[in-house]
């Protein structure tokens, strides 16, 4: 086996230095064109990201506030009873990352009637939130006694935090998206006007050239 000796060390930022040297040696007009392309690329990516943020917020915010309003109305006008956790369903969700959902089933006695209800809307992502035999306070609308919700400060805080977070996300997206979109629309319209003006000027020039050619033909005939 032949010993090749130690490998030469790679100098850091060699590629960046070469790129910077290449940019510095470019003609001024080429540098301006490259900078313009970079600006348009960054603006396009920012416009796309902010647009997707606004779209996600538009779909998410109403649902978050509806859930928060429903919890508030049940706390104010609904009935509250105690329920016993009889079972917990574990559902494994595959994603990035993987997580497990824990959904409790409770037994309640309302107006002399005992019912078993699975609380799909109050599932948890931690195994220690619910346990079999646990006593929970649940609330419901008197008109819909089969629709139970857990009366919990933890759930209330999560609903408030979700509504606040998505409101901030939507507001941030709007603050970035609207000025960028307005600027883009104005730039497109300005370019359209310039193109239309250039086309009109070209047509006028061609018409003048045809008229001049006809005049020359008439002079030659005379």
């Amino acid at each position: 086996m032949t010993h090749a000796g130690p490998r030469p060390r790679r100098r850091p930022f060699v590629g960046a230095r070469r790129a910077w040297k290449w940019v510095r040696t470019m003609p001024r007009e080429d540098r301006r064109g490259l900078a313009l392309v970079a600006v348009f690329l960054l603006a396009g990516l920012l416009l796309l990201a902010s647009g997707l943020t606004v779209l996600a917020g538009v779909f998410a915010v109403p649902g978050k506030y509806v859930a928060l309003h429903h919890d508030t109305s049940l706390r104010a006008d609904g009935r509250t009873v105690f329920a016993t956790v009889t079972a917990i369903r574990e559902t494994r969700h595959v994603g990035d990352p993987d997580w497990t959902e824990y959904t409790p089933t409770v037994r309640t006695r309302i107006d002399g009637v005992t019912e078993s209800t699975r609380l799909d809307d109050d599932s948890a992502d931690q195994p220690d939130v619910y346990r079999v035999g646990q006593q929970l306070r649940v609330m419901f609308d008197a008109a819909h006694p089969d629709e139970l919700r857990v009366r919990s400060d933890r759930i209330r805080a999560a609903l408030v935090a979700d509504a606040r977070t998505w409101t901030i996300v939507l507001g941030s997206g709007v603050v970035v998206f609207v000025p960028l979109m307005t600027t883009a629309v104005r730039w497109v319209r300005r370019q359209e006007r310039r193109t239309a003006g250039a086309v009109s000027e070209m047509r006028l020039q061609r018409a003048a050239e045809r008229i001049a050619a006809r005049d020359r033909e008439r002079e030659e005939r005379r």
Side-chain angles (χ1 to χ4, degrees):
M1 182 175 179
T2 304
H3 180 66
R7 295 181 179 179
R9 293 184 179 180
R10 295 181 178 179
R11 296 181 180 179
F13 309 112
V14 172
R17 292 175 181 175
R18 290 178 179 175
W20 175 244
K21 183 177 180 181
W22 175 69
V23 171
R24 285 192 307 171
T25 56
M26 290 176 61
R28 181 175 299 178
E29 294 298 327
D30 292 344
R31 285 203 302 269
R32 290 179 180 177
L34 184 62
L36 187 62
V37 170
V39 169
F40 273 99
L41 181 60
L42 292 176
L45 292 175
L46 189 58
L47 183 63
L48 178 61
S50 60
L52 293 176
T53 300
V54 171
L55 185 63
V58 167
F59 280 101
V61 167
K64 300 300 181 181
Y65 277 95
V66 167
L68 181 60
H69 175 72
H70 184 57
D71 183 84
T72 302
S73 62
L74 287 180
R75 287 172 178 267
D77 304 323
R79 293 177 56 185
T80 301
V81 297
F82 282 95
T84 304
V85 179
T86 58
I88 299 175
R89 185 186 67 176
E90 297 185 12
T91 305
R92 185 68 175 174
H93 295 274
V94 178
D96 186 18
D98 298 341
W99 64 287
T100 303
E101 182 181 13
Y102 301 90
T103 307
T105 297
V106 299
R107 184 177 63 247
T108 56
R109 187 173 180 83
I110 301 174
D111 297 333
V113 179
T114 302
E115 294 185 358
S116 182
T117 307
R118 190 173 65 196
L119 306 180
D120 294 320
D121 293 334
D122 291 322
S123 60
D125 57 0
Q126 298 294 330
D128 56 347
V129 175
Y130 300 113
R131 62 184 183 277
V132 176
Q134 180 182 6
Q135 293 289 317
L136 297 176
R137 288 198 304 166
V138 296
M139 51 189 179
F140 61 92
D141 188 350
H144 303 281
D146 57 332
E147 299 178 2
L148 304 178
R149 296 301 304 266
V150 177
R151 187 184 180 100
S152 167
D153 293 337
R154 176 186 63 83
I155 295 177
R156 175 72 180 183
L159 292 174
V160 173
D162 284 347
R164 182 186 300 115
T165 299
W166 278 103
T167 301
I168 294 174
V169 169
L170 178 59
S172 301
V174 169
V175 167
V176 176
F177 179 77
V178 171
L180 282 177
M181 179 57 71
T182 303
T183 302
V185 170
R186 289 180 178 176
W187 182 83
V188 170
R189 290 180 177 177
R190 188 183 301 114
Q191 292 300 117
E192 290 179 350
R193 288 195 297 267
R194 289 180 179 177
T195 303
V199 171
S200 178
E201 184 177 354
M202 185 179 300
R203 290 177 178 175
L204 291 175
Q205 184 177 358
R206 290 178 179 177
E209 291 176 353
R210 287 196 297 268
I211 293 173
R214 291 174 183 175
D215 291 340
R216 286 195 298 268
E217 290 179 358
R218 291 176 183 177
E219 292 294 334
E220 291 175 357
R221 290 176 183 177
R222 294 177 180 178

